[in-house]
């Protein structure tokens, strides 16, 4: 059972404060929604969990270890950050193959995740021709490659068609039911309401609310209402 | 794992693979194309004939070896002594007006004593000599040259096993040693004697638009040898002279006369490396410049692609070791470029030289180690160019500025310097400090101070020794990759 622990992250970019003591824990066995206005610090937090940005203060750990210290890190945590981050001339399958090489995983694992993402046919085409939905599927396939106990997904529903949204919802729910820690940043409150067991609401670089979805619905009637009320007056970019 | 991932990344982008293959193909195609277009012929009188191949020395290099030799056999140890006087000669039509034949000697006219392994051109030798205006010298091996510390007209050359020692004296009694050289593999019987030769008189005309024109004219030198010891038993060999004589040479034939113990010897020619009588072997690799452009584009794109397509974050998420990732990328680009270079050189050198020889083109021979240095060095140059391009690409993170930067630093300087667009000093300076210094690795004939011909950058002589030049490129490549890695650590995207 692996948790993500974010503890007192602080980060300044010049005069603007991006993170101001961001603290929360993502528990296994449920989908945790990560919500907040644009510029609230969600993406920066995700990048710091993955060791791509250095915090001025605080720590972010997976199972008690810094991401960068993990050997074969994609076997510990899978991430979907930017679905457009693909070389246009390289096929989706070859994109996964180099990732598999870097984690010492066999090519058979690549074909497994391609099938699971519904890209078995498209995987051999150059990624430059992929729709946003296909890119999201490929990004999820990459995140699942190392069969990690932790998943971090930034706006996974963007660009998916209705069938894709249903697929994604079922996939994430199934992953959480397997006992994984699943952190999903999204602006789609209705999706999260159906799927997430817990939400972390952030604004101004810190946590505003960290509560179960059912508690919030009980207090505010819907997750969307809860979000709008909690983040009222919280501008994004300052 | 990082290496395997980066190698897979490289080979799964088709344009990079094709670009690398194109680089190899360009070298082969341009080399062979140029080879089929070259012809060479020489005149023997009014007759057009295939040019004769120049002789080669014991290491396999093409050499000039033409002189008049009055000699006798020496078995075992021994020495020869003579007084060399009255070095005189003829220069045909010198400047300023080029309208008369004058008395005089050119600076590198040579008259002196020689030990030689027979009378075949190219055979090993050591000689001590007086020169037109460079004082007393001891020379051997066609490129080795040492000036005597003091002057004098008495010369002595002694053999002791493989060791040949040259001496000079002002009076024939007080002898000053110049140096001892070793001639490995010298048989017990050698030829020892008097020699005279005189290279062409040269005028170098500076072109105001850059570069210079060299004109050469026939000269002859004569010298009188007296007090020659040992005495008696001399025979004459005209080493390296062609059978054909111009009318001028018919009236001034090489040879010697003896009267009252004084030998008057006349000769024309030179003893040194041959640079004019054929094509330098590295010329078949002219496609290198165009091929480098292809390799530079591939290398730069390997450095910039991850930033352009934002995959660098994916890469660092999979492999959170920026230093190792950067090193692995450089290694992949370097290895691919090295293989490209080895294939390109391995095909071009044998095929193009064969095509040239089929066209009766003389290719100047080089020694085995020199050939190996040119072949391996060119492949290494391509490998380092790939790494350098990768480093600049990864540092600048934008393809067009990176390609222009690398091309300006690596490809432009030799073209500008050799085509005399730049003043020679600027060209030489550029070829010392820019990555283009590496092209020195291809130079088959290096510069030697005792050569009569100009040896500037515009004549194709690089200012740095071959491996030092390649090291300059290696340093640039290392610096570019190190700086790019530092930038990657500081700001990954």
């Amino acid at each position: 059972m692996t948790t993500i622990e974010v503890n007192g992250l602080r980060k300044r970019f010049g005069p603007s404060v991006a993170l101001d003591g961001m603290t929360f824990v993502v528990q296994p066995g449920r989908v945790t929604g990560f919500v907040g206005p644009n510029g609230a610090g969600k993406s920066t937090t995700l990048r710091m969990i993955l060791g791509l940005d250095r915090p001025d203060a605080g720590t972010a750990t997976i199972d008690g270890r810094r991401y960068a210290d993990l050997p074969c890190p994609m076997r510990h945590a899978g991430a979907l950050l930017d679905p457009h981050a693909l070389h246009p001339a390289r096929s989706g399958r070859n994109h996964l193959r180099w990732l598999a090489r870097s984690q010492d995983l066999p090519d058979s694992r690549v074909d497994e995740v391609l099938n699971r993402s519904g890209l078995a046919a498209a995987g051999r085409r150059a990624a430059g021709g992929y729709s946003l939905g296909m890119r999201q599927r490929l990004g999820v396939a990459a995140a699942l490659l190392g069969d990690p106990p932790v998943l971090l997904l930034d706006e996974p529903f963007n660009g998916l068609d209705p069938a894709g949204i249903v697929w994604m919802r079922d996939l994430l729910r199934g992953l959480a039911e397997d006992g994984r820690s699943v952190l999903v940043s999204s602006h789609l409150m209705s999706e999260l309401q159906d799927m997430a067991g817990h939400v972390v609401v952030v604004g101004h670089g810190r946590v505003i609310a960290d509560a179960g979805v059912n508690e919030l619905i009980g207090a505010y009637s819907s997750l969307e209402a809860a979000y709008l009320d909690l983040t009222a007056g919280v501008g994004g970019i300052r | 794992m990082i290496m395997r991932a980066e190698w897979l990344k490289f080979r799964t982008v088709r344009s990079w693979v094709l670009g690398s293959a194109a680089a190899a193909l360009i070298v082969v195609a341009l080399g062979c194309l140029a080879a089929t277009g070259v012809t060479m012929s020489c005149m023997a009188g009014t007759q057009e004939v295939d040019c004769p191949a120049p002789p080669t020395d014991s290491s396999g290099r093409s050499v000039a070896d033409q002189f008049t030799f009055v000699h006798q056999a020496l078995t075992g140890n021994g020495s020869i002594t003579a007084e060399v006087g009255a070095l005189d000669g003829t220069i045909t039509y010198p400047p300023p007006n080029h309208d008369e034949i004058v008395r005089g000697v050119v600076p590198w006219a040579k008259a002196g004593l020689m030990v030689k392994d027979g009378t075949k051109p190219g055979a090993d030798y050591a000689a001590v000599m007086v020169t037109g205006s460079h004082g007393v010298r001891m020379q051997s091996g066609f490129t080795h040259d040492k000036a005597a510390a003091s002057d004098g007209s008495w010369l002595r050359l002694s053999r002791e096993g493989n060791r040949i020692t040259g001496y000079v004296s002002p009076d024939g009694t007080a002898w000053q040693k110049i140096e001892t050289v070793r001639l490995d593999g010298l048989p017990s019987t050698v030829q020892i004697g008097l020699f005279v030769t005189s290279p062409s008189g040269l005028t170098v005309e500076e072109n105001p638009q850059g570069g210079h024109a060299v004109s050469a004219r026939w000269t002859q030198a004569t010298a009188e040898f007296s007090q020659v010891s040992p005495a008696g038993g001399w025979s004459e060999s005209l080493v390296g002279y062609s059978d054909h004589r111009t009318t001028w040479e018919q009236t001034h034939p090489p040879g010697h006369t003896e009267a009252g113990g004084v030998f008057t010897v006349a000769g024309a020619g030179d003893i040194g490396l041959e640079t004019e009588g054929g094509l330098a072997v590295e010329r078949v690799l002219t496609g290198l410049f165009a091929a480098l452009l292809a390799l530079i584009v591939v290398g730069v794109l390997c450095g910039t692609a991850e930033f352009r397509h934002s995959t660098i974050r994916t890469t660092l998420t999979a492999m959170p070791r920026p230093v190792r990732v950067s090193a692995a990328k450089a290694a992949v680009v370097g290895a691919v470029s090295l293989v490209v270079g080895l294939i390109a050189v391995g095909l071009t050198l044998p095929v193009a030289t064969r095509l040239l020889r089929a066209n009766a083109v003389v290719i100047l021979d080089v020694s085995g180690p020199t050939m190996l240095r040119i072949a391996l060095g060119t492949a290494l140059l391509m490998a380092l160019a790939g790494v350098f391009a990768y480093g600049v690409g990864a540092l600048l993170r934008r393809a067009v500025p990176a390609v222009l930067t690398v091309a300006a630093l690596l490809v432009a300087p030799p073209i500008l310097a050799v085509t005399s667009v730049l003043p020679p000093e600027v060209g030489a300076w550029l070829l010392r400090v820019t990555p283009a210094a590496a092209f020195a690795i291809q130079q088959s004939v290096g510069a030697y101070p005792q050569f009569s011909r100009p040896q500037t950058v515009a004549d194709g002589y690089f200012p740095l020794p071959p491996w030092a030049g390649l090291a300059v490129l290696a340093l640039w490549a290392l610096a570019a990759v190190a700086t790019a890695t530092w930038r990657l650590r500081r700001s990954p995207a």
Side-chain angles (χ1 to χ4, degrees):
Chain A
M1 289 296 140
T2 306
T3 57
I4 308 169
E5 287 171 43
V6 173
N7 194 0
L9 287 182
R10 289 176 191 281
K11 181 74 176 178
R12 274 176 167 280
F13 292 112
S16 69
V17 177
L19 296 182
D20 187 13
M22 180 74 76
T23 302
F24 61 90
V25 175
V26 180
Q27 296 289 355
R30 65 191 185 196
V31 173
T32 301
F34 192 33
V35 299
N38 289 329
K42 299 192 299 293
S43 295
T44 309
T45 305
L46 291 178
R47 282 209 302 275
M48 281 181 182
I49 294 171
L50 296 169
L52 292 172
D53 257 338
R54 234 166 270 151
D56 298 335
T59 57
T61 56
I62 289 162
D63 208 11
R65 297 160 81 184
R66 289 191 327 132
Y67 181 88
D69 295 337
L70 297 168
C72 295
M74 290 174 72
R75 292 169 172 227
H76 297 267
L80 163 63
L81 286 189
D82 177 2
H84 296 287
L86 294 168
H87 194 288
R90 196 179 284 130
S91 72
R93 185 167 181 276
N94 281 330
H95 176 72
L96 295 178
R97 283 178 71 216
W98 76 254
L99 284 170
R101 291 279 195 288
S102 75
Q103 308 303 306
D104 209 9
L105 292 166
D107 279 356
S108 58
R109 183 65 198 151
V110 168
D111 293 320
E112 279 171 40
V113 294
L114 273 176
N115 284 329
R116 194 166 177 188
S117 311
L119 289 173
R124 292 183 187 271
R125 298 209 311 265
Y130 287 9
S131 67
L132 177 54
M134 291 163 81
R135 286 163 190 261
Q136 292 283 25
R137 285 169 182 266
L138 185 62
V140 169
L144 295 177
L145 191 63
D147 195 17
V150 167
L151 287 154
L152 304 147
L153 305 152
D154 196 4
E155 301 286 0
F157 295 101
N158 274 4
L160 291 180
D161 58 15
I165 290 176
V166 171
W167 167 79
M168 182 70 79
R169 190 194 299 148
D170 291 347
L171 176 75
L172 298 182
R173 206 181 266 147
L175 291 168
E177 278 164 11
D178 293 347
R180 293 174 222 261
S181 301
V182 182
L183 182 65
V184 177
S185 115
S186 179
H187 291 311
L188 300 177
M189 293 306 142
S190 55
E191 280 308 324
L192 288 176
Q193 180 168 325
D194 289 351
M195 185 183 64
H198 202 85
V199 283
V200 175
V201 184
V202 297
H204 292 331
R206 57 179 174 262
V207 175
I208 296 172
D210 183 349
V213 169
N214 288 338
E215 289 167 50
L216 289 172
I217 294 173
Y220 292 94
S221 81
S222 77
L223 188 58
E224 192 169 62
Y227 172 83
L228 290 173
D229 192 66
L230 287 166
T231 59
V234 178
I237 301 151
R238 283 167 295 173
Chain B
M1 287 186 299
I2 294 180
M3 274 297 281
R4 291 174 62 210
E6 290 301 334
W7 164 232
L8 199 140
K9 274 189 200 172
F10 183 93
R11 67 186 171 88
T12 53
V13 176
R14 190 178 297 165
S15 57
W16 297 352
V17 176
L18 291 180
S20 307
L25 205 65
I26 288 169
V27 176
V28 179
L30 289 185
C32 294
L33 200 69
T36 54
V38 183
T39 53
M40 195 183 269
S41 66
C42 293
M43 300 301 284
T46 54
Q47 194 123 37
E48 196 174 319
V49 295
D50 286 352
C51 293
T56 52
D57 73 355
S58 57
S59 72
R61 298 180 295 181
S62 287
V63 292
D65 201 11
Q66 178 179 319
F67 56 93
T68 305
F69 196 24
V70 179
H71 58 99
Q72 58 178 270
L74 170 70
T75 302
N77 298 335
S79 71
I80 177 171
T81 309
E83 185 183 7
V84 186
L87 185 59
D88 200 352
T90 312
I91 302 176
T92 53
Y93 309 110
N97 297 325
H98 305 285
D99 59 352
E100 56 182 350
I101 292 160
V102 298
R103 253 183 91 176
V105 288
V106 289
W108 279 109
K110 303 173 180 78
L113 313 177
M114 181 184 286
V115 167
K116 194 171 174 74
D117 179 8
T119 56
K120 215 171 129 283
D124 285 345
Y125 74 96
V128 60
M129 68 202 73
V130 296
T131 60
S133 54
H134 293 285
V136 175
R137 325 284 293 196
M138 175 133 179
Q139 295 188 351
S140 57
F142 297 94
T143 48
H144 184 75
D145 171 61
K146 183 169 167 86
S150 58
D151 235 2
S153 56
W154 287 78
L155 302 179
R156 172 176 288 169
L157 201 56
S158 77
R159 174 192 186 185
E160 201 170 320
N162 287 342
R163 296 154 60 80
I164 313 290
T165 308
Y167 301 88
V168 60
S169 166
D171 50 14
T173 48
W175 290 95
Q176 185 86 40
K177 180 178 153 183
I178 304 172
E179 71 166 338
T180 299
V181 295
R182 280 183 50 165
L183 297 184
D184 288 325
L186 204 61
S188 94
T189 299
V190 294
Q191 296 302 316
I192 194 162
L194 323 169
F195 82 98
V196 172
T197 193
S198 175
S200 300
L202 295 174
T203 4
V204 179
E205 210 168 316
E206 293 297 335
N207 186 334
Q209 267 87 50
H212 47 238
V214 179
S215 56
R217 67 196 72 78
W218 193 83
T219 71
Q220 188 188 50
T222 55
E224 286 177 3
F225 296 81
S226 52
Q227 314 280 337
V228 180
S229 150
W234 298 104
S235 54
E236 177 191 289
S237 287
L238 300 180
V239 178
Y241 290 93
S242 84
D243 295 334
H244 178 76
R245 294 267 187 279
T246 62
T247 41
W248 173 255
E249 286 165 317
Q250 283 164 16
T251 55
H252 290 73
H256 86 286
T257 56
E258 185 188 352
V262 176
F263 295 79
T264 305
V265 183
D270 203 2
I271 303 169
L273 285 189
E274 176 64 58
T275 58
E276 297 300 308
L279 205 63
V281 68
E282 68 266 28
R283 292 276 296 280
V284 305
L285 296 172
T286 48
L288 179 65
F289 284 98
L292 278 177
L293 291 177
L295 270 189
I296 287 169
V297 170
V298 171
V300 161
L301 288 179
C302 285
T304 58
E306 294 245 33
F307 299 98
R308 171 151 164 67
H309 304 297
S310 310
T311 50
I312 190 66
R313 284 202 185 130
T314 315
T315 295
L316 290 176
T317 312
M319 305 172 278
R321 307 270 182 282
V323 176
R324 283 198 229 168
V325 166
S326 186
K329 283 177 182 294
V332 165
V333 175
V336 169
S337 310
L338 181 66
V339 171
V340 164
L342 289 172
I343 292 172
V345 173
L347 284 175
T348 310
L349 279 177
V351 174
T353 49
R354 193 160 300 176
L355 287 172
L356 284 168
R357 293 207 166 99
N359 277 357
V361 174
V362 174
I363 300 167
L364 294 175
D365 284 309
V366 295
S367 68
T370 304
M371 195 66 208
L372 205 62
R373 185 251 294 162
I374 292 171
L376 287 182
T378 302
L380 280 172
L381 190 163
M382 293 174 84
L384 289 170
V387 173
F388 178 52
Y390 157 73
V392 174
L395 176 63
L396 300 182
R397 300 184 177 180
R398 293 185 44 169
V400 173
V403 167
L404 291 178
T405 304
V406 177
L409 285 170
L410 180 62
V411 181
I415 294 174
L416 293 179
V418 173
T419 55
S420 311
V421 173
L422 298 171
E425 316 81 59
V426 179
W429 179 81
L430 276 181
L431 292 181
R432 270 192 198 95
V433 301
T434 66
F439 288 99
I441 200 74
Q442 291 197 309
Q443 179 130 39
S444 57
V445 180
Y448 294 96
Q450 72 271 27
F451 273 18
S452 316
R453 290 196 163 261
Q455 300 167 81
T456 69
V457 173
D459 301 294
Y461 288 89
F462 285 84
L464 288 183
W467 291 106
L470 200 66
V472 171
L473 173 59
L475 283 177
W476 277 86
L478 186 70
V481 172
T483 322
T485 307
W486 170 79
R487 190 175 172 200
L488 182 65
R489 274 174 58 116
R490 261 180 66 99
S491 55

